[in-house]
């Protein structure tokens, strides 16, 4: 992923859900990102668990850096020793995220009736500091928001406040995770729908979201889908292929006067490429520091308004790297 302080520092989830490393993307979650683990889900899950995950990740194209945490209290729904049913629970938790450009603070509810299915509802407060050119809003859907444009608009000549400013907002999201493992192979798909309400400058209708590299309409919906296919070794290595598709759903009110309603040059976006992760040890979730994992992602942009030749070369990939670990703070 997720640098030295630079232009675009994600808050979330993108990074947290970078790889199939936990059951996680980020922004992940985050990232969010919950990758397939090097070992199968535990059999005979305890009745109660206080689960924690910490993720530090950075990325380029676009630039970003984030530290994301997730802390949840989970209660097993029923006892089962079958792998397809054993990892079941309902849980509530918080998921704070910090970056050089701001912070997120969220609360979520998770429902996992089967090891292969997880449903999550999440609320987050978003805060931007007005640093590193990260938060900029625009008149409409067809406004320019390339990396070079963001740099130019963020310039602050005398008497000009610039386009980059501090603000806050709220986001509500719903996600569905499907995952399965057969022999050494695992598949995973997370679909996330989000609705965002930002306190934006008067007259602006859209803003550039650093986490998902999308121009999103204020009080509007977006979707991100992450699909992974992995080979899982018995010595901690996971290697696979990741495809990420994103889409912003614009309403008529998001178009500025003079723009053609229905014209969407921004989405969908697509990227595809390999992912690698290595888990140094796995104690089955016991203790605060477990399953320490390093990961690398290299995805090439297949469809993007600016990153497939219009501004950046199509040969320049999205690249991310990070480190995460999980822990069980309480088992009852």
């Amino acid at each position: 992923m997720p640098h030295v302080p630079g232009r675009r520092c994600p808050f979330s989830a993108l990074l947290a859900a970078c790889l199939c490393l936990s059951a996680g993307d980020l922004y992940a979650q985050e990232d969010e990102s919950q990758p397939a683990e090097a070992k199968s889900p535990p059999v005979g899950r305890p009745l109660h668990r206080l689960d924690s995950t910490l993720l530090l990740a950075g990325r380029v194209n676009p630039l970003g850096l984030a530290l994301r945490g997730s802390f949840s209290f989970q209660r097993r729904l029923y006892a089962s020793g079958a792998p397809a049913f054993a990892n079941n629970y309902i849980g509530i938790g918080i998921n704070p995220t910090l970056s050089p450009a701001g912070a997120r603070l969220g609360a979520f509810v998770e429902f996992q009736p089967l090891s292969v299915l997880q449903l999550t509802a999440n609320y987050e407060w978003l805060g931007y500091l007005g640093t590193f050119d990260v938060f900029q809003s625009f008149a409409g859907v067809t406004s320019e928001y390339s990396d070079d444009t963001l740099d130019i608009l963020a310039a602050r000549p005398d008497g000009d406040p610039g386009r980059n400013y501090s603000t806050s907002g709220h986001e509500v999201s719903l996600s569905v995770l499907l995952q399965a493992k057969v022999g050494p192979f695992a598949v995973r798909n997370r679909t996330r729908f989000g609705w965002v309400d930002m306190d934006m400058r008067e007259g602006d209708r859209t803003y550039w979201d650093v986490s998902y590299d999308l121009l999103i309409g204020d009080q509007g919906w977006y979707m991100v889908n992450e699909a992974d296919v992995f080979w899982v070794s018995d010595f901690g290595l996971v290697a696979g292929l990741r495809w990420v598709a994103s889409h912003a759903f614009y309403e008529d009110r998001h178009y500025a006067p003079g723009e053609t309603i229905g014209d969407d040059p921004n989405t969908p976006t697509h990227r595809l490429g390999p992912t690698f992760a290595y888990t140094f040890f796995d104690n089955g979730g016991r203790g605060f520091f477990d399953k320490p994992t390093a990961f690398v992602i290299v995805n090439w942009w297949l469809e993007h308004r600016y990153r497939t030749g219009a501004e950046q070369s199509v040969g320049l990939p999205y690249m991310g790297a990070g480190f995460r670990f999980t822990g069980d703070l309480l088992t009852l």
Side-chain angles (χ1 to χ4, degrees):
M1 287 202 171
H3 120 134
V4 298
R7 191 163 51 229
R8 279 161 267 305
C9 305
F11 298 131
S12 79
L14 147 81
L15 297 183
C18 284
L19 289 171
C20 236
L21 304 176
S22 76
D25 231 34
L26 149 222
Y27 275 172
Q29 266 313 314
E30 234 244 94
D31 280 315
E32 128 196 289
S33 116
Q34 302 233 355
E37 302 190 346
K39 295 193 177 181
S40 300
V43 175
R45 182 184 180 93
L47 181 60
H48 298 103
R49 289 182 63 181
L50 184 57
D51 186 74
S52 67
T53 300
L54 287 176
L55 168 74
L56 176 64
R59 73 182 186 191
V60 296
N61 197 28
L63 289 173
L65 176 67
L67 174 64
R68 184 176 180 84
S70 176
F71 307 91
S72 63
F73 178 77
Q74 302 171 355
R75 189 186 193 283
R76 188 186 67 211
L77 298 171
Y78 56 89
S80 175
F85 300 93
N87 198 19
N88 66 81
Y89 65 89
I90 186 169
I92 58 173
I94 59 172
N95 50 353
T97 302
L98 296 175
S99 86
R104 289 177 176 244
L105 180 59
F108 62 89
V109 177
E110 283 183 343
F111 176 60
Q112 186 159 311
L114 306 169
S115 300
V116 298
L117 173 64
Q118 181 188 92
L119 307 174
T120 304
N122 187 60
Y123 163 81
E124 288 183 291
W125 172 86
L126 320 178
Y128 291 86
L129 298 175
T131 55
F132 305 116
D133 305 355
V134 167
F135 188 87
Q136 296 190 38
S137 57
F138 300 91
V141 172
T142 64
S143 300
E144 295 285 340
Y145 66 96
S146 70
D147 287 357
D148 287 347
T149 300
L150 293 174
D151 286 343
I152 294 170
L153 294 177
R156 296 173 179 268
D158 291 343
D160 185 347
R163 301 280 302 193
N164 184 48
Y165 58 98
S166 61
T167 189
S168 62
H170 309 272
E171 178 174 334
V172 177
S173 64
L174 303 171
S175 64
V176 179
L177 172 68
L178 295 170
Q179 57 187 356
K181 183 174 181 291
V182 178
F185 298 102
V187 294
R188 170 187 174 276
N189 190 91
R190 179 186 294 275
T191 304
R192 173 189 174 101
F193 288 91
W195 181 87
V196 188
D197 180 10
M198 297 300 301
D199 183 11
M200 299 198 316
R201 191 169 41 197
E202 184 176 356
D204 285 350
R205 301 165 180 82
T206 59
Y207 78 99
W208 179 68
D209 186 280
V210 62
S211 298
Y212 303 109
D213 194 17
L214 284 176
L215 193 72
I216 297 177
D218 190 37
Q219 296 184 358
W221 288 89
Y222 70 88
M223 182 276 294
V224 177
N225 191 86
E226 299 172 342
D228 300 290
V229 179
F230 289 99
W231 170 75
V232 183
S233 75
D234 57 3
F235 55 87
L237 177 66
V238 175
L241 191 66
R242 162 165 287 200
W243 167 56
V244 180
S246 304
H247 191 88
F249 300 97
Y250 301 119
E251 301 177 30
D252 291 357
R253 58 188 173 84
H254 294 137
Y255 288 85
E259 292 184 329
T260 301
I261 293 178
D263 183 13
D264 178 5
N266 308 313
T267 62
T269 68
H270 297 275
R271 55 182 169 88
L272 176 71
T275 62
F276 304 93
Y278 183 77
T279 299
F280 296 92
F281 60 84
D282 182 350
N283 290 330
R286 295 184 297 275
F288 173 74
F289 186 76
D290 191 27
K291 301 178 185 175
T293 303
F295 62 86
V296 175
I297 301 174
V298 182
N299 289 176
W300 277 269
W301 290 98
L302 305 178
E303 188 173 358
H304 191 283
R305 183 174 175 180
Y306 301 109
R307 304 192 189 281
T308 54
E311 183 172 289
Q312 282 89 17
S313 168
V314 68
L316 179 64
Y318 168 107
M319 294 183 290
F323 178 80
R324 64 174 292 281
F325 66 90
T326 64
D328 189 353
L329 306 181
L330 173 68
T331 299
L332 294 175

